[in-house]
Amino acid sequence: MTRLTDNLDDNYSLFIEEIRFNGELWGIESEDGWVVVDSQEFEDTDVIPFWSDKEDAEAHCVEEWADYQISKVEIEDFVQEWLPELDNDGVLVGANWNVELEGLEIEPLQLAEALAGVDAD
């Protein structure tokens, strides 16, 4: 069903590789906006999860998110608009979270550097 595993670093590497190659990524939203979850790592911090593959994002549209739909974001918009705004708001990016909603929480500017090829770690 999903290619994502419990190896969070591999899932993150796949995220970088695929959105660079495909030029798009996927999030989950409803009429009320994008899915935002509490950080597992930092108190009082929000995370917006994104996936590099449409099917991996769709796998999360169940239970409390059953009425949500996936939405595509073009990489140019993500890098130029989303990441600076998320950084200003102190919101982290969840990269390719697995079905248990486990994954890395990345600082937006760190992700922008990784996508630019400055530092993929």
Side-chain angles (χ1 to χ4, degrees), residues 3-75:
R3 304 161 303 132
L4 304 177
T5 68
D6 59 0
N7 186 322
L8 308 184
D9 290 325
D10 285 353
N11 293 344
Y12 176 67
S13 295
L14 183 66
F15 180 79
I16 297 297
E17 178 184 320
E18 287 188 334
I19 63 175
R20 273 186 183 159
F21 182 79
N22 296 323
E24 63 192 27
L25 60 155
W26 303 87
I28 300 174
E29 68 175 332
S30 73
E31 295 174 354
D32 299 324
W34 295 88
V35 164
V36 178
V37 298
D38 293 332
S39 170
Q40 297 297 309
E41 296 181 46
F42 305 101
E43 193 172 318
D44 299 323
T45 302
D46 289 331
V47 181
I48 298 182
F50 291 96
W51 292 267
S52 59
D53 182 78
K54 182 179 181 180
E55 286 75 26
D56 291 331
E58 285 175 336
H60 291 81
C61 292
V62 295
E63 298 174 5
E64 66 184 279
W65 297 342
D67 293 332
Y68 287 63
Q69 66 275 343
I70 59 165
S71 294
K72 179 170 64 172
V73 179
E74 299 293 335
I75 192 171

Side-chain angles (χ1 to χ4, degrees), residues 99-115:
V99 292
E100 287 84 30
L101 288 180
E102 298 169 334
L104 299 182
E105 299 176 4
I106 309 298
E107 294 279 349
L109 296 183
Q110 179 185 354
L111 181 54
E113 290 175 357
L115 290 171

